[in-house]
Amino acid sequence: MLSTLSQCEFSMGKTLLVYDMNLREMENYEKIYKEIECSIAGAHEKIAECKKQILQAKRIRKNRQEYDALAKVIQHHPDRHETLKELEALGKELEHLSHIKESVEDKLELRRKQFHVLLSTIHELQQTLENDEKLSEVEDAQEASMETDPKP
Amino acid sequence: MERAVPLAVPLGQTEVFQALQRLHMTIFSQSVSPCGKFLAAGNNYGQIAIFSLASGLWVELVNSVLHFSLAHDGPVYSMVSTDRHLLSAGDGEVKAWLWAEMLKKGCKELWHRQPPYRTSLEVPEINALLLVPKENSLILAGGDCQLHTMDLETGTFTRVLRGHTDYIHCLALRERSPEVLSGGEDGAVRLWDLRTAKEVQTIEVYKHEECSRPHNGRWIGCLATDSDWMVCGGGPALTLWHLRSSTPTTVFPIRAPQKHVTFYQDLILSAGQGRCVNQWQLSGELKAQVPGSSPGLLSLSLNQQPAAPECKVLTAAGNSCRVDVFTNLGYRAFSLSF
């Protein structure tokens, strides 16, 4: 009888221990479950963050590609410095040529004026010669009439 | 090619007719509802079908058509959605429908208007509709080579913009300076300033050697703009233009003429005569080519409504009775059918 009693006590003690163990296992599982939930929430947040970063990175890539596209087009055009230099050289040539033109025009004006003076003096001389001729004709005519008058 | 009617069922007149209709259907236009959960598609018979995207995505139904109505006498060439209305345009008229009522049977149009055409005899088709939210107005363009502006509150036609010499295919809105771009059969992309109602810039695409393809023609089939940049394609090759300097920067190497193009994040999505939706990077590289189920695609629609982020999909429709839905841009998830 003692042995059956002790056996019963033993099995009851065992079941009590198993019960305790199960309770503690449950608590453990609850703890792990909560931890996993937290990490899932954390992962969700990280995913949202990463999505935002992806959008930002896509925007940056788009800007970079736009820049590249424009840069390609710009490369086709000649360099700005070279064109500026060419423009300067052309400007200097233009100035030089305009100087020459001015000096030539001045010379032309001078010659024109001198020629004008020459022509006008010639005309004047002609005029005076004609006047002199006329005067001498008139004087001859007067002398002839005076010679015929004092005769009688 | 799918068999629309199984052979075991005796073929009656109506089934044959319906099968033939579905065989020859072309879906010209699509529009997403303001709540983001429904998609409206208009076809060449004048019917508008409303598909439920939410049920399609979660339950994987293929025929989730909620409603089907004979809306127009002719084909429905273009549709846009405002906050509460669906505007559809076809041969000469634009009609408005309330989204809330579209889901019920026997819904009637709210109003219909016809822009003032030059002669009352001509009934030109309206190829493109564009909403200008800042002014609360609608711009119509189509067969009569003019852009008509209609005020949405009063319903009156305010401006007429003339300049194109041939009919207009597509419109795009440049948000920063309120300008409208229009591309047409005459090969020119014209920029119009909405405040002064005048043509600001003209880009004759076919005159540039890099992109012109004379064997295809000079028509501009599709336009999309991103304020500083513009993509246009059609007869000439699909090209990216810088608007301020009017120079073509990148030519996308695809032979088929493209009928619809749009900017999306850092990509350019285009669809046209081939079976696939093409994804391009701005540098001209082809990132992906995703095949759809229609032999040719005419319109793409991106559901970016903030009210329904779970329905963020790309839908493509064209020369068949199916609308392909792409949930991830990489593959075709499923198709909705008329």
Side-chain angles (χ1 to χ4, degrees), chain B residues 98-115:
Chain B
L98 258 185
W99 266 108
E101 282 191 20
M102 290 290 271
L103 306 171
K104 304 177 199 154
K105 290 222 163 191
C107 111
K108 289 218 176 118
E109 67 208 32
L110 266 188
W111 47 259
H112 64 107
R113 293 244 185 283
Q114 204 182 43

PDB file of all heavy atoms in Angstrom, chain B residues 98-115:
ATOM      1  N   LEU B  98     -22.003  60.559 -64.363  1.00  0.00           N
ATOM      2  CA  LEU B  98     -21.620  60.592 -62.961  1.00  0.00           C
ATOM      3  C   LEU B  98     -21.044  59.245 -62.579  1.00  0.00           C
ATOM      4  O   LEU B  98     -21.664  58.209 -62.825  1.00  0.00           O
ATOM      5  CB  LEU B  98     -22.859  60.823 -62.086  1.00  0.00           C
ATOM      6  CG  LEU B  98     -23.085  62.227 -61.537  1.00  0.00           C
ATOM      7  CD1 LEU B  98     -24.265  62.226 -60.612  1.00  0.00           C
ATOM      8  CD2 LEU B  98     -21.869  62.742 -60.798  1.00  0.00           C
ATOM      9  N   TRP B  99     -19.864  59.229 -61.963  1.00  0.00           N
ATOM     10  CA  TRP B  99     -19.258  57.957 -61.590  1.00  0.00           C
ATOM     11  C   TRP B  99     -20.125  57.179 -60.611  1.00  0.00           C
ATOM     12  O   TRP B  99     -20.198  55.968 -60.657  1.00  0.00           O
ATOM     13  CB  TRP B  99     -17.879  58.194 -60.969  1.00  0.00           C
ATOM     14  CG  TRP B  99     -16.783  58.094 -61.969  1.00  0.00           C
ATOM     15  CD1 TRP B  99     -16.050  59.119 -62.471  1.00  0.00           C
ATOM     16  CD2 TRP B  99     -16.303  56.905 -62.606  1.00  0.00           C
ATOM     17  NE1 TRP B  99     -15.143  58.648 -63.376  1.00  0.00           N
ATOM     18  CE2 TRP B  99     -15.268  57.292 -63.492  1.00  0.00           C
ATOM     19  CE3 TRP B  99     -16.629  55.560 -62.538  1.00  0.00           C
ATOM     20  CZ2 TRP B  99     -14.561  56.395 -64.278  1.00  0.00           C
ATOM     21  CZ3 TRP B  99     -15.922  54.652 -63.326  1.00  0.00           C
ATOM     22  CH2 TRP B  99     -14.917  55.074 -64.173  1.00  0.00           C
ATOM     23  N   ALA B 100     -20.760  57.899 -59.723  1.00  0.00           N
ATOM     24  CA  ALA B 100     -21.574  57.197 -58.733  1.00  0.00           C
ATOM     25  C   ALA B 100     -22.717  56.450 -59.378  1.00  0.00           C
ATOM     26  O   ALA B 100     -23.140  55.404 -58.903  1.00  0.00           O
ATOM     27  CB  ALA B 100     -22.105  58.201 -57.719  1.00  0.00           C
ATOM     28  N   GLU B 101     -23.208  56.982 -60.508  1.00  0.00           N
ATOM     29  CA  GLU B 101     -24.343  56.323 -61.147  1.00  0.00           C
ATOM     30  C   GLU B 101     -23.928  55.289 -62.167  1.00  0.00           C
ATOM     31  O   GLU B 101     -24.745  54.486 -62.596  1.00  0.00           O
ATOM     32  CB  GLU B 101     -25.185  57.367 -61.871  1.00  0.00           C
ATOM     33  CG  GLU B 101     -26.054  58.149 -60.957  1.00  0.00           C
ATOM     34  CD  GLU B 101     -27.049  58.958 -61.767  1.00  0.00           C
ATOM     35  OE1 GLU B 101     -27.289  58.628 -62.944  1.00  0.00           O
ATOM     36  OE2 GLU B 101     -27.566  59.918 -61.201  1.00  0.00           O
ATOM     37  N   MET B 102     -22.675  55.333 -62.573  1.00  0.00           N
ATOM     38  CA  MET B 102     -22.254  54.426 -63.635  1.00  0.00           C
ATOM     39  C   MET B 102     -22.394  52.977 -63.209  1.00  0.00           C
ATOM     40  O   MET B 102     -22.473  52.078 -64.011  1.00  0.00           O
ATOM     41  CB  MET B 102     -20.780  54.647 -63.999  1.00  0.00           C
ATOM     42  CG  MET B 102     -20.492  55.911 -64.703  1.00  0.00           C
ATOM     43  SD  MET B 102     -21.144  55.906 -66.349  1.00  0.00           S
ATOM     44  CE  MET B 102     -19.851  55.236 -67.308  1.00  0.00           C
ATOM     45  N   LEU B 103     -22.357  52.746 -61.893  1.00  0.00           N
ATOM     46  CA  LEU B 103     -22.379  51.374 -61.436  1.00  0.00           C
ATOM     47  C   LEU B 103     -23.777  50.791 -61.426  1.00  0.00           C
ATOM     48  O   LEU B 103     -23.950  49.601 -61.243  1.00  0.00           O
ATOM     49  CB  LEU B 103     -21.768  51.298 -60.037  1.00  0.00           C
ATOM     50  CG  LEU B 103     -20.377  51.924 -59.988  1.00  0.00           C
ATOM     51  CD1 LEU B 103     -19.899  52.019 -58.575  1.00  0.00           C
ATOM     52  CD2 LEU B 103     -19.426  51.099 -60.807  1.00  0.00           C
ATOM     53  N   LYS B 104     -24.755  51.664 -61.618  1.00  0.00           N
ATOM     54  CA  LYS B 104     -26.119  51.128 -61.629  1.00  0.00           C
ATOM     55  C   LYS B 104     -26.548  50.896 -63.073  1.00  0.00           C
ATOM     56  O   LYS B 104     -25.989  51.465 -64.000  1.00  0.00           O
ATOM     57  CB  LYS B 104     -27.079  52.143 -61.007  1.00  0.00           C
ATOM     58  CG  LYS B 104     -26.676  52.558 -59.622  1.00  0.00           C
ATOM     59  CD  LYS B 104     -27.628  53.609 -59.100  1.00  0.00           C
ATOM     60  CE  LYS B 104     -26.965  54.338 -57.957  1.00  0.00           C
ATOM     61  NZ  LYS B 104     -27.481  55.674 -57.798  1.00  0.00           N
ATOM     62  N   LYS B 105     -27.545  50.101 -63.229  1.00  0.00           N
ATOM     63  CA  LYS B 105     -28.020  49.818 -64.583  1.00  0.00           C
ATOM     64  C   LYS B 105     -28.815  50.998 -65.102  1.00  0.00           C
ATOM     65  O   LYS B 105     -29.450  51.712 -64.357  1.00  0.00           O
ATOM     66  CB  LYS B 105     -28.932  48.588 -64.566  1.00  0.00           C
ATOM     67  CG  LYS B 105     -28.201  47.326 -64.298  1.00  0.00           C
ATOM     68  CD  LYS B 105     -28.688  46.212 -65.198  1.00  0.00           C
ATOM     69  CE  LYS B 105     -27.667  45.106 -65.175  1.00  0.00           C
ATOM     70  NZ  LYS B 105     -27.864  44.099 -66.165  1.00  0.00           N
ATOM     71  N   GLY B 106     -28.807  51.144 -66.384  1.00  0.00           N
ATOM     72  CA  GLY B 106     -29.659  52.152 -67.017  1.00  0.00           C
ATOM     73  C   GLY B 106     -29.289  53.565 -66.635  1.00  0.00           C
ATOM     74  O   GLY B 106     -30.148  54.411 -66.459  1.00  0.00           O
ATOM     75  N   CYS B 107     -27.984  53.838 -66.515  1.00  0.00           N
ATOM     76  CA  CYS B 107     -27.623  55.191 -66.131  1.00  0.00           C
ATOM     77  C   CYS B 107     -27.639  56.074 -67.364  1.00  0.00           C
ATOM     78  O   CYS B 107     -27.313  55.643 -68.453  1.00  0.00           O
ATOM     79  CB  CYS B 107     -26.281  55.164 -65.436  1.00  0.00           C
ATOM     80  SG  CYS B 107     -24.958  55.903 -66.339  1.00  0.00           S
ATOM     81  N   LYS B 108     -28.054  57.314 -67.165  1.00  0.00           N
ATOM     82  CA  LYS B 108     -28.150  58.215 -68.312  1.00  0.00           C
ATOM     83  C   LYS B 108     -27.077  59.270 -68.207  1.00  0.00           C
ATOM     84  O   LYS B 108     -26.595  59.594 -67.133  1.00  0.00           O
ATOM     85  CB  LYS B 108     -29.518  58.895 -68.298  1.00  0.00           C
ATOM     86  CG  LYS B 108     -30.631  57.987 -68.625  1.00  0.00           C
ATOM     87  CD  LYS B 108     -31.687  58.682 -69.474  1.00  0.00           C
ATOM     88  CE  LYS B 108     -32.759  57.684 -69.854  1.00  0.00           C
ATOM     89  NZ  LYS B 108     -34.058  58.032 -69.333  1.00  0.00           N
ATOM     90  N   GLU B 109     -26.758  59.844 -69.350  1.00  0.00           N
ATOM     91  CA  GLU B 109     -25.702  60.842 -69.335  1.00  0.00           C
ATOM     92  C   GLU B 109     -26.212  62.114 -68.676  1.00  0.00           C
ATOM     93  O   GLU B 109     -27.379  62.454 -68.743  1.00  0.00           O
ATOM     94  CB  GLU B 109     -25.271  61.157 -70.767  1.00  0.00           C
ATOM     95  CG  GLU B 109     -26.350  61.843 -71.530  1.00  0.00           C
ATOM     96  CD  GLU B 109     -26.271  61.565 -72.995  1.00  0.00           C
ATOM     97  OE1 GLU B 109     -25.848  60.473 -73.369  1.00  0.00           O
ATOM     98  OE2 GLU B 109     -26.648  62.468 -73.746  1.00  0.00           O
ATOM     99  N   LEU B 110     -25.269  62.837 -68.061  1.00  0.00           N
ATOM    100  CA  LEU B 110     -25.648  64.076 -67.391  1.00  0.00           C
ATOM    101  C   LEU B 110     -25.899  65.186 -68.399  1.00  0.00           C
ATOM    102  O   LEU B 110     -26.896  65.875 -68.339  1.00  0.00           O
ATOM    103  CB  LEU B 110     -24.506  64.535 -66.485  1.00  0.00           C
ATOM    104  CG  LEU B 110     -24.559  64.106 -65.041  1.00  0.00           C
ATOM    105  CD1 LEU B 110     -23.462  64.834 -64.299  1.00  0.00           C
ATOM    106  CD2 LEU B 110     -25.897  64.449 -64.435  1.00  0.00           C
ATOM    107  N   TRP B 111     -24.940  65.334 -69.266  1.00  0.00           N
ATOM    108  CA  TRP B 111     -25.132  66.330 -70.322  1.00  0.00           C
ATOM    109  C   TRP B 111     -24.270  65.930 -71.505  1.00  0.00           C
ATOM    110  O   TRP B 111     -23.360  65.126 -71.362  1.00  0.00           O
ATOM    111  CB  TRP B 111     -24.758  67.734 -69.851  1.00  0.00           C
ATOM    112  CG  TRP B 111     -23.469  67.891 -69.122  1.00  0.00           C
ATOM    113  CD1 TRP B 111     -23.320  68.011 -67.772  1.00  0.00           C
ATOM    114  CD2 TRP B 111     -22.138  67.973 -69.657  1.00  0.00           C
ATOM    115  NE1 TRP B 111     -22.000  68.172 -67.432  1.00  0.00           N
ATOM    116  CE2 TRP B 111     -21.247  68.151 -68.570  1.00  0.00           C
ATOM    117  CE3 TRP B 111     -21.609  67.910 -70.939  1.00  0.00           C
ATOM    118  CZ2 TRP B 111     -19.878  68.269 -68.738  1.00  0.00           C
ATOM    119  CZ3 TRP B 111     -20.240  68.022 -71.102  1.00  0.00           C
ATOM    120  CH2 TRP B 111     -19.395  68.198 -70.006  1.00  0.00           C
ATOM    121  N   HIS B 112     -24.563  66.501 -72.649  1.00  0.00           N
ATOM    122  CA  HIS B 112     -23.697  66.294 -73.802  1.00  0.00           C
ATOM    123  C   HIS B 112     -23.616  67.585 -74.572  1.00  0.00           C
ATOM    124  O   HIS B 112     -24.580  68.338 -74.667  1.00  0.00           O
ATOM    125  CB  HIS B 112     -24.211  65.150 -74.688  1.00  0.00           C
ATOM    126  CG  HIS B 112     -25.534  65.412 -75.316  1.00  0.00           C
ATOM    127  ND1 HIS B 112     -25.700  65.682 -76.648  1.00  0.00           N
ATOM    128  CD2 HIS B 112     -26.763  65.462 -74.777  1.00  0.00           C
ATOM    129  CE1 HIS B 112     -26.983  65.873 -76.911  1.00  0.00           C
ATOM    130  NE2 HIS B 112     -27.644  65.742 -75.796  1.00  0.00           N
ATOM    131  N   ARG B 113     -22.410  67.847 -75.083  1.00  0.00           N
ATOM    132  CA  ARG B 113     -22.181  69.120 -75.747  1.00  0.00           C
ATOM    133  C   ARG B 113     -21.458  68.876 -77.056  1.00  0.00           C
ATOM    134  O   ARG B 113     -20.703  67.917 -77.182  1.00  0.00           O
ATOM    135  CB  ARG B 113     -21.274  70.003 -74.903  1.00  0.00           C
ATOM    136  CG  ARG B 113     -21.861  70.467 -73.633  1.00  0.00           C
ATOM    137  CD  ARG B 113     -22.025  71.969 -73.618  1.00  0.00           C
ATOM    138  NE  ARG B 113     -22.497  72.392 -72.327  1.00  0.00           N
ATOM    139  CZ  ARG B 113     -23.753  72.261 -71.940  1.00  0.00           C
ATOM    140  NH1 ARG B 113     -24.618  71.750 -72.750  1.00  0.00           N
ATOM    141  NH2 ARG B 113     -24.107  72.640 -70.742  1.00  0.00           N
ATOM    142  N   GLN B 114     -21.650  69.810 -77.945  1.00  0.00           N
ATOM    143  CA  GLN B 114     -20.934  69.730 -79.204  1.00  0.00           C
ATOM    144  C   GLN B 114     -20.190  71.038 -79.389  1.00  0.00           C
ATOM    145  O   GLN B 114     -20.806  72.096 -79.342  1.00  0.00           O
ATOM    146  CB  GLN B 114     -21.944  69.540 -80.331  1.00  0.00           C
ATOM    147  CG  GLN B 114     -21.342  68.894 -81.529  1.00  0.00           C
ATOM    148  CD  GLN B 114     -22.347  68.781 -82.628  1.00  0.00           C
ATOM    149  OE1 GLN B 114     -23.089  69.708 -82.879  1.00  0.00           O
ATOM    150  NE2 GLN B 114     -22.367  67.650 -83.274  1.00  0.00           N
ATOM    151  N   PRO B 115     -18.907  70.988 -79.600  1.00  0.00           N
ATOM    152  CA  PRO B 115     -18.184  72.249 -79.786  1.00  0.00           C
ATOM    153  C   PRO B 115     -18.598  72.926 -81.088  1.00  0.00           C
ATOM    154  O   PRO B 115     -19.065  72.254 -82.008  1.00  0.00           O
ATOM    155  CB  PRO B 115     -16.717  71.813 -79.844  1.00  0.00           C
ATOM    156  CG  PRO B 115     -16.714  70.369 -79.970  1.00  0.00           C
ATOM    157  CD  PRO B 115     -18.032  69.833 -79.581  1.00  0.00           C
TER     158      PRO B 115
END
